[in-house]
Amino acid sequence: MEDLLLIPGPTQVPPEVRAAVSRQMINHRGPSFTELYQEIQEGLRPVFGSEADVLIFPASGTGVMESAVVNLFSPGDRILSVVMGEFGERFAVIAQAFGVEVDRLSVPPGTAATAEAIALRLDAAGPERYRAVIVTHNETSTGVLLDLPAVAAAVKARGPLLVVDAVSALGGVETRCAEWGVDVLVTGSQKALMTPPGLGLVYVSPSAWEAVERATLPRYYWDYRRARKSAAKGQTPYTPAVGLWFGLREALRLIGAEGLDNVYARHRRMAGSFRAGARALGLELLAEDAVASPLVTAVKVPEGIEASRILKALREEHRVIVAGGQGDLAGKIFRVAHMGAARPEQMVRVLEAIGRVLAGLGVAVAPGAGAEAARRFSEDAAAVRA
Ligand SMILES: *Cc1c(COP(=O)(O)O)cnc(C)c1O
């Protein structure tokens, strides 16, 4: 049996994408690259919900988060960072590192910031106070999804730019950058886009381009203006990660073949069946259903059991790889991703394994109850669709 990788990135890479990544290199200044560039941009349009070309850097997600900061802001600018967990906090700290003044709107782990709360905060601050609001679409550390269309409407009505960390969201949950009024949205290749790590992707709106022109923070590698100039020729300013571009093209083909709406529905179905199964095992979930992420679920570690023992037993006895908690949640939760190429059947396997591990650690539980509930959930969902 192969390892079953269910961490929130890097996610499972389908065989077609793995094969594509291993192809011979091409001249990145020649016509074959331009063709690859165009095919990828076409594949990305429905996923980003925008007709604009997306900037693509060789980078991790954190790299393109930093790119947004250095391209949009000037020293002393003030922004509002919405913090729902570790990744929201990371974006705030990156901005501070560059001399941007950051106010935080923080919510308890497992809850979502609301459009109303953000609107109240902006109204109390007055219209000119914030250059931008930064949010996390899918807070991977807690398994919470932000209501991005509502938040975007609230921010747009009040003037600041809206910057979105969609590293773990894009490709797994509906995203309409142009229609919703997102200004900058950053993501990475290794989560819902089911490509190996190493590509950072950035959407930039027309208003954000104006901000890019005005901003005075120093930048070179990340300079969106240079990237845009090269994009007009179907190129990137510096050597692109060509192998990963091959992989991404294949991943976008797979997404297109499955159908984007079906991809989103599969993510919701996996989340639903995993949540049903975890509850059938008597486990508590960190996020309530109303704000639960379709991409990753955080499970509370039962009283009296060490999280590390659960992860170790899952890995060693069942070859199932899931993630622990980050920051203050370390030891308190474990996280199971249902993201990218993950399949509903895999939810049954992970719950089967969790049931056995809990029983092995002395928890009074019917070990098969989780897998059974997940199976039933999937069948019911299939019956509803039929
Ligand atoms: C994974 C992740 C990141 C960081 O991406 P890296 O590629 O590890 O730098 C940032 N934000 C969110 C929401 C993520 O899930």
Side-chain angles (χ1 to χ4, degrees), residues 28-209:
H28 65 299
R29 300 298 180 216
S32 322
F33 185 79
T34 298
E35 203 173 292
L36 174 61
Y37 178 93
Q38 280 157 357
E39 282 179 35
I40 285 185
Q41 293 297 343
E42 235 143 76
L44 288 173
R45 277 179 199 129
V47 185
F48 278 80
S50 155
E51 293 301 306
D53 276 13
V54 169
L55 308 179
I56 304 179
F57 293 90
S60 81
T62 306
V64 280
M65 289 160 82
E66 180 165 320
S67 82
V69 169
V70 298
N71 276 284
L72 292 175
F73 305 134
S74 305
D77 276 353
R78 185 173 290 273
I79 64 164
L80 180 65
S81 251
V82 175
V83 177
M84 309 197 299
E86 286 293 306
F87 290 105
E89 178 58 21
R90 180 179 301 181
F91 224 148
V93 170
I94 294 170
Q96 286 173 318
F98 285 91
V100 174
E101 303 288 335
V102 177
D103 289 348
R104 286 172 174 73
L105 191 166
S106 300
V107 299
T111 67
T114 61
E116 293 73 25
I118 294 169
L120 272 175
R121 188 65 176 268
L122 293 177
D123 290 341
E128 297 299 323
R129 185 149 173 95
Y130 295 119
R131 274 304 280 133
V133 176
I134 296 188
V135 300
T136 313
H137 192 183
N138 183 69
E139 180 46 79
T140 320
S141 67
T142 60
V144 166
L145 186 73
L146 184 78
D147 183 353
L148 185 56
V151 167
V155 173
K156 289 330 287 171
R158 291 166 175 81
L161 295 168
L162 177 64
V163 179
V164 181
D165 169 358
V167 175
S168 64
L170 192 99
V173 64
E174 181 173 54
T175 306
R176 297 179 184 268
C177 286
E179 183 187 325
W180 294 347
V182 168
D183 287 302
V184 168
L185 181 140
V186 301
T187 193
S189 50
Q190 80 275 28
K191 300 202 175 173
L193 291 176
M194 50 190 191
T195 300
L199 293 181
L201 298 90
V202 186
Y203 163 80
V204 187
S205 77
S207 328
W209 276 114

